[in-house]
Amino acid sequence: MLEAVIVIPVVVLLTMIVVQYVMLYHARNVTEAAARDGLRVARGYQGTAAQGKTAAEQYLTDVAPRLLVARTCDARRSTATVVIICRADVASVVPFGSFSVTEQAIGPVETFGT
């Protein structure tokens, strides 16, 4: 009985830590995909930074509305490059700590050539 009282909480806590790690890994992949999607839109021939930001934020909302909370995306477009940075807090199942992810995508602006 004493062993069960000691072992079961430890096993439950270790399981929660593994689940949190998997959630963090998935959140990182989703955030990276959102940044790439925003980049794809913003770097288009007549695309804008605002369109890229909207696309990235919409991707986060569509794909992981409950996993990623307090999500924001920033977009900058110059004449040569586009940068999209997405940040989000990850929902936590572990009773301690808070987790966040930040991913960025950088690419050249598409230009029309004759």
Side-chain angles (χ1 to χ4, degrees):
M1 186 67 166
L2 181 61
E3 294 88 10
V5 170
I6 294 172
V7 171
I8 290 176
V10 171
V11 169
V12 169
L13 183 61
L14 288 175
T15 303
M16 290 173 66
I17 289 172
V18 169
V19 168
Q20 185 67 57
Y21 176 76
V22 170
M23 289 172 60
L24 190 60
Y25 183 78
H26 179 63
R28 186 171 166 251
N29 287 332
V30 169
T31 308
E32 180 182 3
R36 284 194 320 254
D37 191 54
L39 176 67
R40 179 187 56 80
V41 171
R43 70 187 292 253
Y45 174 59
Q46 292 184 341
T48 64
Q51 290 172 335
K53 177 181 177 179
T54 301
E57 289 174 345
Q58 188 63 45
Y59 187 93
L60 291 176
T61 301
D62 292 344
V63 175
R66 293 190 184 125
L67 176 64
L68 300 174
V69 294
R71 51 192 174 266
T72 61
C73 293
D74 296 319
R76 292 188 307 269
R77 179 181 162 130
S78 67
T79 57
T81 60
V82 176
V83 178
I84 305 285
I85 301 172
C86 294
R87 296 176 188 85
D89 293 334
V90 181
S92 180
V93 295
V94 179
F96 53 86
S98 62
F99 306 95
S100 64
V101 291
T102 302
E103 294 294 329
Q104 73 174 5
I106 302 171
V109 172
E110 293 180 0
T111 56
F112 181 76
T114 58

